[in-house]
Amino acid sequence: MTGSIKESADDRLFTIVNYIILFIFTITILYPLVYIVSASFSSSTAVISGRVWLYPVEPTLAGYEAVFKHRLIMSSFLNSVFYTVVGTTINVLFTLIAAYPMSRKDFMPRNSIMALFVFTMMFSGGLIPSYLVVKELGMIDTRWSLIIPGALAVMNMIIARTYFQTTIPDELLEAAQMDGCSDFTFVRKIVLPLSGPIIAVISLFYAVGHWNQYFNALLYLKHQELYPIQLVLRDILVQNEVDASMITDVADQAARDGLRELLKFSLIVVSTLPVLIIYPFIQRHFVKGMMIGSLKG
């Protein structure tokens, strides 16, 4: 006997309501993104007059020209690339070094050390003690103040530890040891090649965190030459500060206001573009790594 089960009227109504809710939810998320991209390619007069709704009006690249004329944009962009690449490399290295011993059942003090890790995750020192520690270590107004204090996220370490426990069987380690494999060789030749999904996941977490960080930069950095791009973006968006050197060609205040508005949208696109470019390359590992790493947490 073949044939599909006929849906009842209540089931069809439930499905329709779900589709409507998901459609509204999708539009709510996508429309602001589409509007920002469209506004960044529109003229300043069209943006200020509110004529931009869905697609660019009077298309122009003036906003992006203004972005790259700003004296801090390029240096802050390169600073963010440095913080993201170096910071993520250190984060992933520290996380794997901490997570693998915690996954080994024959590592006797692992429960005690794990309790210390969890304690630091539940009870942090607070803003002032953290600032004093960074200051006493001589990292104020240095690039390392944005990298070293957050070198290890305990939550990511727990996810990596769970991944190792569920995907690296003890029998594999025993077989390797019988063949004379040391722990270091086992990690380098067996564990790391099998850990692509979880490395991709925690790399994405750390990279997005470094790329979007501005509070630590606001707290620890004094020289603008060290600012990440998000801090410059914050100055423009929140404090409405625009470098006067980039508006010398603008004739009147209205044009300045228009350029300022246009710069905001263009800078948002520029600052989010790297993450949007990187994500599709690791998306295929993301779901697998998250599902395996989140089990038995």
Side-chain angles (χ1 to χ4, degrees):
M1 181 176 179
T2 59
S4 59
I5 300 176
K6 185 177 180 181
E7 289 185 343
S8 64
D10 291 340
D11 291 337
R12 288 195 296 271
L13 178 62
F14 180 77
T15 302
I16 292 172
V17 171
N18 272 339
Y19 278 124
I20 293 174
I21 293 175
L22 289 175
F23 178 76
I24 295 174
F25 184 70
T26 303
I27 294 298
T28 304
I29 294 176
L30 285 182
Y31 179 71
L33 300 177
V34 173
Y35 175 79
I36 289 174
V37 174
S38 298
S40 69
F41 286 102
S42 301
S43 67
S44 57
T45 54
V47 173
I48 291 180
S49 60
R51 287 185 286 137
V52 179
W53 285 88
L54 188 61
Y55 50 84
V57 178
E58 300 173 3
T60 177
L61 295 176
Y64 292 95
E65 292 176 0
V67 166
F68 291 104
K69 285 181 180 177
H70 194 290
R71 65 184 180 86
L72 291 178
I73 293 300
M74 286 308 299
S75 63
S76 62
F77 188 89
L78 295 176
N79 286 336
S80 287
V81 172
F82 175 83
Y83 296 137
T84 302
V85 174
V86 177
T88 302
T89 302
I90 293 176
N91 290 142
V92 172
L93 182 63
F94 278 35
T95 300
L96 295 180
I97 290 176
Y100 179 70
M102 294 297 104
S103 69
R104 290 279 296 270
K105 295 178 181 178
D106 56 343
F107 184 56
M108 297 304 293
R110 68 170 186 156
N111 291 332
S112 301
I113 297 176
M114 196 65 213
L116 294 176
F117 276 123
V118 174
F119 182 84
T120 62
M121 183 176 65
M122 303 295 292
F123 304 98
S124 65
L127 180 61
I128 294 177
S130 299
Y131 180 85
L132 293 177
V133 169
V134 174
K135 181 181 179 182
E136 291 300 319
L137 292 175
M139 293 191 294
I140 293 294
D141 207 24
T142 67
R143 298 182 191 277
W144 300 112
S145 62
L146 303 188
I147 296 175
I148 299 301
L152 174 65
V154 177
M155 181 58 69
N156 290 338
M157 189 275 289
I158 293 175
I159 294 175
R161 182 208 62 173
T162 307
Y163 181 89
F164 292 146
Q165 287 177 336
T166 54
T167 58
I168 311 296
D170 294 337
E171 292 77 9
L172 188 60
L173 174 62
E174 294 172 358
Q177 289 176 333
M178 291 179 65
D179 291 336
C181 182
S182 65
D183 287 335
F184 179 77
T185 304
F186 179 73
V187 171
R188 183 168 57 88
K189 292 188 175 181
I190 297 178
V191 175
L192 292 181
L194 295 176
S195 304
I198 196 61
I199 292 175
V201 168
I202 61 176
S203 296
L204 179 64
F205 285 164
Y206 283 126
V208 172
H210 280 292
W211 186 262
N212 289 331
Q213 71 168 333
Y214 76 92
F215 184 72
N216 286 342
L218 184 66
L219 193 64
Y220 299 134
L221 298 182
K222 299 177 182 177
H223 290 91
Q224 292 183 330
E225 291 75 14
L226 300 177
Y227 280 4
I229 193 170
Q230 302 298 341
L231 192 55
V232 177
L233 176 62
R234 172 193 170 276
D235 290 341
I236 295 175
L237 291 178
V238 178
Q239 298 181 3
N240 216 22
E241 290 183 354
V242 178
D243 187 4
S245 63
M246 55 180 292
I247 55 178
T248 53
D249 296 331
V250 182
D252 51 39
Q253 185 62 40
R256 294 188 178 190
D257 293 339
L259 183 60
R260 184 180 291 112
E261 291 298 319
L262 202 56
L263 179 66
K264 293 177 182 177
F265 294 114
S266 303
L267 191 53
I268 290 174
V269 174
V270 171
S271 63
T272 54
L273 196 59
V275 176
L276 295 178
I277 292 175
I278 293 174
Y279 183 75
F281 292 99
I282 61 175
Q283 190 270 341
R284 63 190 180 94
H285 297 297
F286 191 76
V287 175
K288 181 180 178 182
M290 280 300 298
M291 291 301 294
I292 296 176
S294 62
L295 295 175
K296 300 179 181 179

